[in-house]
Each structure stands twice: as C-alpha cells, then as structure tokens.
Amino acid sequence: EKDMWLNFSPEEKQLYLANLAQVNEQLQQQLELEQVDSILIIAMMTRLRQICCEPRMLYENYKGESTKFTMCLELIETLKENGKKVLLFSSFTSIFDSFIEEFNQRGIKYHMITGAVDKKKRKEEVDAFQSDDSDVFLISLKAGGTGLNLTKAQAVIHYDPWWNPAAEDQASDRAWRIGQDKPVFVYKLITNQSIEEKILALQKNKADLAKSILSIDHENEVKLSED
C-alpha cells in the first residue's frame, strides 16, 4: 500500500480556500441553530472533496490544472506500460465520464460498473475484464466493495479516500482474492492541506479503535472517554 500525496495547483488552491471560507461561514450559522442540519453539513464536505478530486465536477468552466486527475492518468499509463491491469475506485461516479473521454483518446481499454449496472451486466463486465486485454476497471466504491473476483488486476487505485477504512479494504481485496498469484499494489491519492487529510486521520482513528475492541491482544487498551 502506498499513499501518494499531491499538492493543489495555485488555481485549485484559490478555489478550495474560497469554498472553505464559504463553508466555515455556513457552518458557524448552523452551529448557532438549535437543530443542526447534518445533510447540509455533509453537502458542504462533499463540495470540498469534489474540488480535491476534479474542480470541473463543480465548475464546468474551470480551465486550470486538475492535479489529481492528471496524476492518476499518468499512474494508469505507467502501470499499463508495465503490464499491470488496474482497478480504479471512486465514490464519485461522475468522474468516470472524464476518465472515459481520456481513455478513448489514449487507447486505454476499460470496463465499468456503478450502482446503476444490473447483476447480469455486472457479471459480463467482470468476466470480460478477467479474460480480455483491457487495462482499467472503473468501479464505484459502493458497487464494488463486495462480491467481485478480479484477480487479473495487479494494481488498485483509490481515487478519493472514503470515511470507512473497512470499505476501502474490501474494495482492495477484489484483486487480492483466492487465485491471485502476484503482488497487488494499492495506491491512495491524497491531497495535502485539504479535507482528504482529515478523512485519512479519521480512517486511522477508526482502524485503531476497531483493532483495540476486536483484537484479543489489545482488549485491555480500550479507553473510551465520554466524548
């Protein structure tokens, strides 16, 4: 497993900080209310996550750099040159349209499943990936966490970090199944000085907590404060 850290371009940082200021203002207003709108807060955080992933998801007319998108494409091309098939997971299926456009231009062969794909089509896509010369399998995190055996892949890319580390691990395990006889490389793309750093810290806290509760070796270490 490898965390790949990247920095915002100047344009992206300006955009992110402007949205962050707006979010902070809205958040202060929410915290003064008797009943906090948790859906609205999730929407605010989603907006910040989308800017980290690809600013064009929010701003169609954005003309600046897209650091993470470019870095991910370069990583996929490197893996392809080394003969490694890739599973690309994201919680934002809208990013897949941008990837497909680039894949078609670059001659990168792909398959895709999202929550909208039915069971029959899902199996067809999996079987095809396992037997053909395709390079990438685009999978939405929610659709691809369980029930897929994709041992022809030797690399897994998590395009954006998810709140639950177990869900990410389940997704990575699609390639690391019975029948896999090669090493599997897992890459996590994380944007510095952004909400993605906070999500990664949250993942670590959750993983440590689960370990302390579930592992016999650590059962005496469980010290939960009231908070």
Side-chain angles (χ1 to χ4, degrees), residues 22-32 41 44:
Q22 196 176 10
V23 162
N24 281 333
E25 193 177 319
Q26 290 174 316
L27 194 56
Q28 287 306 315
Q29 291 168 4
Q30 277 296 311
L31 295 175
E32 287 168 12
I41 290 173
M44 292 178 198

Side-chain angles (χ1 to χ4, degrees), residues 55-63:
R56 290 173 189 83
M57 290 168 72
L58 278 180
Y59 301 96
E60 286 181 21
N61 58 350
Y62 175 78
K63 302 295 183 193

Side-chain angles (χ1 to χ4, degrees), residues 80-202:
K80 181 188 173 187
E81 286 166 14
N82 286 282
K84 289 179 172 56
K85 295 177 79 136
V86 179
L87 307 183
L88 175 58
F89 288 98
S90 177
S91 50
F92 297 113
T93 53
S94 54
I95 194 73
F96 291 165
D97 292 337
S98 302
F99 274 112
I100 288 168
E101 194 178 321
E102 284 290 334
F103 289 170
N104 289 334
Q105 288 178 17
R106 297 170 186 235
I108 294 172
K109 298 176 184 176
Y110 67 91
H111 293 283
M112 178 173 71
I113 56 169
T114 65
V117 174
D118 64 41
K119 201 170 180 180
K120 181 173 178 289
K121 176 68 173 168
R122 184 179 161 114
K123 185 178 185 308
E124 287 171 3
E125 292 289 296
V126 169
D127 290 346
F129 180 81
Q130 286 287 91
S131 59
D132 66 16
D133 63 344
S134 56
D135 307 299
V136 182
F137 206 142
L138 298 162
I139 310 174
S140 68
L141 194 63
K142 288 181 181 177
T146 55
L148 299 178
N149 191 334
L150 297 163
T151 51
K152 291 298 178 187
Q154 261 192 276
V156 176
I157 299 173
H158 289 287
Y159 190 75
D160 45 285
W162 187 237
W163 309 103
N164 183 356
E168 277 190 9
D169 290 344
Q170 275 189 327
S172 298
D173 285 346
R174 297 316 94 207
W176 186 243
R177 311 283 284 165
I178 291 171
Q180 177 59 271
D181 56 1
K182 297 182 179 69
V184 173
F185 299 85
V186 179
Y187 302 93
K188 296 183 181 186
L189 309 186
I190 313 290
T191 308
N192 274 312
Q193 296 181 317
S194 78
I195 191 171
E196 292 189 338
E197 274 188 344
K198 309 290 186 188
I199 296 171
L200 212 63
L202 181 66

